[in-house]
Amino acid sequence: MTSTHQRAEAAIEADPTVPAIHITRDFAATAAHLVRAHTDPELFVRWIGPNGYETTIDHWDARTGGSYRYEQAGQGFHGCFHHVCDDRLVQTFTWEGMPEGVSLDTMTFEDLGGGRTRMHATSLVGSFEARDGMLSSGMEVGVNDGYAKLDALLADGLVA
Amino acid sequence: MTSTHQRAEAAIEADPTVPAIHITRDFAATAAHLVRAHTDPELFVRWIGPNGYETTIDHWDARTGGSYRYEQAGQGFHGCFHHVCDDRLVQTFTWEGMPEGVSLDTMTFEDLGGGRTRMHATSLVGSFEARDGMLSSGMEVGVNDGYAKLDALLADGLVA
């Protein structure tokens, strides 16, 4: 596989200098499609997280200054939307199993041409220990399963 | 001045390992007073920032999942409240003069006994360059002026 091929797996990388995780993933979609997939709750529940779990929305207001909460596999997740616009999402995230833990998540979208977009997602947390705990938690399964489900929704034209 | 004296100036310190600023400040107040001073908009505008500026609230909903925006000296500031409770505040912050910049701010409150409380505030940002820019911006004037105004409100019994 060379660098000219489609990137099917997400690149999940520890930042070398700050306690952040960077995820990079290419999609056959526009930035607008990807923003919609992250902000429309009916779409979001169809792809987020590992295969085989049902996601239910508790509340969802994906506007700058809004907030969200959802449940998946008996676990709760919540945060607030700091900034929502056409090319950038900034939001907070807490898994309620570790309520002291908060990440600041930023997503930006790079137009690759030909209807393809590279998503750059960064999760910033308060310590390297917390960051390394996230990386060793098996998060890549949920990330890659989720984005594969999103690929399928995009291919089926369901993120119009 | 020995360590047994009241700490009148805030300690403003760069974290040695992550791009965060830690502010520590003692108050003649309970944690409940300090939470109220940070969440009640009518109190907040009376102390936040440097002396001599008027602060006006655009919107303010200081609950978990709420958000805020205020203006001071012709500048706008906004964010969302990730978590609001009796002993911990977690919120985002952007100065609209640098809209790409977002900090994740956490405040906790340590009971010192005798009606005194030590506030621990941490602002986490995405890079050391951004953090060092904040530190070199003269932020200590606003921090120390603001907390002196808050001391006065507390002494006057206005944060009841």
Side-chain angles (χ1 to χ4, degrees):
Chain A
M1 191 163 160
T2 73
S3 62
T4 59
H5 283 72
Q6 177 175 341
R7 191 183 302 189
E9 295 283 295
I12 302 176
E13 295 166 336
D15 189 285
T17 59
V18 302
I21 297 169
H22 301 292
I23 298 178
T24 309
R25 175 63 150 77
D26 294 354
F27 291 93
T30 64
H33 287 137
L34 295 175
V35 168
R36 189 169 167 226
H38 283 82
T39 56
D40 179 321
E42 295 182 15
L43 288 170
F44 184 78
V45 298
R46 295 182 68 173
W47 68 266
I48 193 70
N51 294 335
Y53 293 114
E54 186 180 9
T55 302
T56 56
I57 299 290
D58 180 15
H59 72 263
W60 188 274
D61 181 13
R63 297 178 299 175
T64 296
S67 64
Y68 69 92
R69 184 177 182 278
Y70 63 89
E71 295 186 0
Q72 185 175 68
Q75 304 289 323
F77 305 87
H78 75 267
C80 57
F81 292 101
H82 177 80
H83 191 79
V84 176
C85 71
D86 290 347
D87 59 0
R88 181 165 162 263
L89 303 173
V90 183
Q91 55 198 72
T92 61
F93 174 86
T94 286
W95 165 49
E96 294 171 359
M98 196 190 304
E100 300 289 303
V102 184
S103 68
L104 181 64
D105 298 346
T106 302
M107 279 161 275
T108 59
F109 305 94
E110 178 189 356
D111 186 356
L112 300 177
R116 298 188 60 79
T117 299
R118 182 162 295 166
M119 187 176 76
H120 300 273
T122 294
S123 291
L124 175 69
V125 294
S127 73
F128 287 97
E129 293 78 3
R131 190 274 302 276
D132 294 342
M134 289 166 65
L135 282 171
S136 63
S137 70
M139 67 178 282
E140 68 276 10
V141 174
V143 168
N144 284 314
D145 282 2
Y147 291 152
K149 286 182 281 183
L150 178 51
D151 279 340
L153 291 174
L154 291 160
D156 289 344
L158 295 173
V159 192
Chain B
M1 192 164 159
T2 73
S3 62
T4 59
H5 282 72
Q6 177 176 341
R7 191 184 302 189
E9 296 282 296
I12 303 176
E13 295 165 335
D15 189 285
T17 59
V18 302
I21 296 169
H22 301 293
I23 298 178
T24 309
R25 176 61 151 77
D26 294 354
F27 292 93
T30 64
H33 288 136
L34 295 175
V35 168
R36 189 169 167 225
H38 283 82
T39 56
D40 179 322
E42 294 183 14
L43 288 170
F44 184 78
V45 298
R46 294 182 69 174
W47 68 265
I48 193 70
N51 294 334
Y53 294 114
E54 186 180 10
T55 302
T56 56
I57 299 290
D58 180 14
H59 72 263
W60 188 273
D61 181 14
R63 297 178 298 174
T64 297
S67 65
Y68 68 92
R69 184 177 182 278
Y70 63 89
E71 295 186 0
Q72 185 177 68
Q75 304 289 324
F77 305 86
H78 75 267
C80 57
F81 292 99
H82 177 80
H83 191 78
V84 176
C85 71
D86 290 346
D87 60 359
R88 182 164 161 263
L89 303 173
V90 183
Q91 56 198 71
T92 61
F93 174 86
T94 286
W95 165 48
E96 294 172 359
M98 196 191 306
E100 299 290 303
V102 185
S103 68
L104 182 63
D105 297 347
T106 302
M107 280 161 275
T108 60
F109 305 95
E110 177 189 357
D111 186 355
L112 301 177
R116 299 188 59 78
T117 299
R118 182 162 295 167
M119 186 175 79
H120 300 274
T122 294
S123 291
L124 175 70
V125 295
S127 73
F128 287 98
E129 293 77 4
R131 190 274 302 276
D132 295 341
M134 288 167 66
L135 282 171
S136 64
S137 70
M139 67 178 283
E140 68 277 10
V141 175
V143 168
N144 283 313
D145 281 2
Y147 291 153
K149 286 182 281 185
L150 178 50
D151 279 340
L153 290 174
L154 291 161
D156 289 344
L158 295 172
V159 191

